[in-house]
């Protein structure tokens, strides 16, 4: 079956700290992988995506690499800001265009 | 581009009444729309997938007679919670995609969600 597992939060970091949010998946076939972000009071927004193995998605200083050998898509950012405080969801899209989401990881960045 | 709206943004209703939630893709034609339910501090749970002009496909455990979905046009899908009860209180989110069209391939664009409170 298809599923996504991401690290549980909440995560609290100081400004300019390094961020890693782990995400692993199980899927049949060759899924596309996504990170979505949900800022307080807003809907989900696509942060980045990767559609095949070894692709690196990047946006707003965040990046994640599609690792087929470890079935992972970890999200990283070198220096977080207060404005990055949000809930981050890892997701996969299977060949049937269905999305499966992780449980979300809440990130709080303190000044 | 790729804006999806939902209306209403929040609604309070009495137990036993029906509530309709609209989901619109404002600047693209969405061949497929998805309805999710999000519980506090939990992930999105896919309820159903609807393709324009055809019946929705419901996920296991989702009552199709309870959650009526209509996708009458390429820009509008509606979710009607029939005979709502307090346990139906939740955050309902729709998303839209258009797998056949350029940059919308493989990506869902989400509405801001509708918070439903059933008293």
């Amino acid at each position: 079956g298809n599923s996504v597992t991401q690290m549980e939060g909440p995560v609290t970091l100081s400004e300019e700290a390094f961020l890693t949010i782990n995400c692993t998946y199980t899927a049949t076939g060759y899924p596309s992988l996504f990170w979505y972000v949900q800022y307080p009071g807003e809907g989900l927004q696509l942060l980045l995506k990767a559609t095949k193995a070894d692709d690196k998605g990047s946006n707003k200083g965040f990046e994640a690499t599609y690792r087929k050998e470890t079935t992972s898509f970890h999200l990283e950012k070198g220096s977080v800001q207060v404005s990055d405080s949000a809930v981050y969801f890892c997701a996969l899209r299977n060949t049937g265009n269905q999305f499966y989401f992780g449980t979300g990881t809440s990130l709080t960045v303190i000044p | 581009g790729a804006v999806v709206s939902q209306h209403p943004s929040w609604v309070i209703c009495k137990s036993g009444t029906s509530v309709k939630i609209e989901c619109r893709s404002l600047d693209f034609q969405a061949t497929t729309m998805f309805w999710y339910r999000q519980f506090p501090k939990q992930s999105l749970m896919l309820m159903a997938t609807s393709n324009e002009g055809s019946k929705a496909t419901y996920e296991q455990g989702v009552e199709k007679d309870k959650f009526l979905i209509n996708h009458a046009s390429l820009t509008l899908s509606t979710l009607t919670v029939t005979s709502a009860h307090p346990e139906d209180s939740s955050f309902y989110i729709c998303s839209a995609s258009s797998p056949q069209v350029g940059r919308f391939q493989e990506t869902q664009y989400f509405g801001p969600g509708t918070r439903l409170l059933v008293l």
Side-chain angles (χ1 to χ4, degrees), chain A residues 93 96-99, chain B residues 2-4 23-35 48-57 69-78 94-109:
Chain A
R93 170 193 169 273
N97 199 33
Q98 291 178 309
F99 275 63
Chain B
V3 178
V4 176
C23 176
R24 293 181 185 273
S25 57
L26 299 184
D27 53 0
F28 69 102
Q29 293 184 325
T31 51
T32 306
M33 287 187 170
F34 303 84
W35 286 96
T49 303
S50 75
N51 292 296
E52 185 266 339
S54 61
K55 289 184 178 180
T57 301
I69 293 172
N70 183 279
H71 192 165
S73 77
L74 286 171
T75 59
L76 173 64
S77 176
T78 60
C94 75
S95 70
S97 72
S98 186
Q100 294 79 26
V101 180
R103 66 191 175 97
F104 300 110
Q105 289 180 1
E106 304 183 326
T107 300
Q108 293 188 13
Y109 293 90

Side-chain angles (χ1 to χ4, degrees), chain A residues 77-95:
Chain A
K77 186 174 185 181
S79 176
V80 293
Q81 305 301 311
V82 173
S83 57
D84 294 326
S85 298
V87 181
Y88 293 83
F89 292 91
C90 184
L92 71 82
R93 170 193 169 273
N94 65 10
T95 52

Side-chain angles (χ1 to χ4, degrees), chain A:
Chain A
N2 300 288
S3 67
V4 175
T5 302
Q6 62 182 103
M7 63 184 286
E8 292 188 16
V11 174
T12 302
L13 295 173
S14 297
E15 205 165 22
E16 299 184 1
F18 184 85
L19 169 71
T20 299
I21 301 177
N22 290 336
C23 172
T24 57
Y25 67 91
T26 57
T28 52
Y30 301 96
S32 296
L33 301 174
F34 302 79
W35 277 99
Y36 281 85
V37 58
Q38 186 175 31
Y39 297 104
E42 298 184 18
L44 272 76
Q45 301 174 28
L46 177 65
L47 180 60
L48 53 84
K49 69 175 183 178
T51 58
K52 61 183 187 296
D54 299 326
D55 270 2
K56 177 186 284 188
S58 61
N59 186 26
K60 299 181 182 180
F62 292 89
E63 59 182 34
T65 302
Y66 189 144
R67 301 287 188 197
K68 189 171 184 292
E69 63 277 13
T70 55
T71 62
S72 65
F73 193 55
H74 305 321
L75 182 68
E76 296 182 336
K77 186 174 185 181
S79 176
V80 293
Q81 305 301 311
V82 173
S83 57
D84 294 326
S85 298
V87 181
Y88 293 83
F89 292 91
C90 184
L92 71 82
R93 170 193 169 273
N94 65 10
T95 52
N97 199 33
Q98 291 178 309
F99 275 63
Y100 296 84
F101 287 83
T103 53
T105 302
S106 175
L107 170 67
T108 300
V109 180
I110 55 177

Side-chain angles (χ1 to χ4, degrees), chain B residues 83-101:
Chain B
S83 187
H85 292 283
E87 58 265 30
D88 299 323
S89 299
S90 191
F91 194 54
Y92 292 88
I93 303 172
C94 75
S95 70
S97 72
S98 186
Q100 294 79 26
V101 180

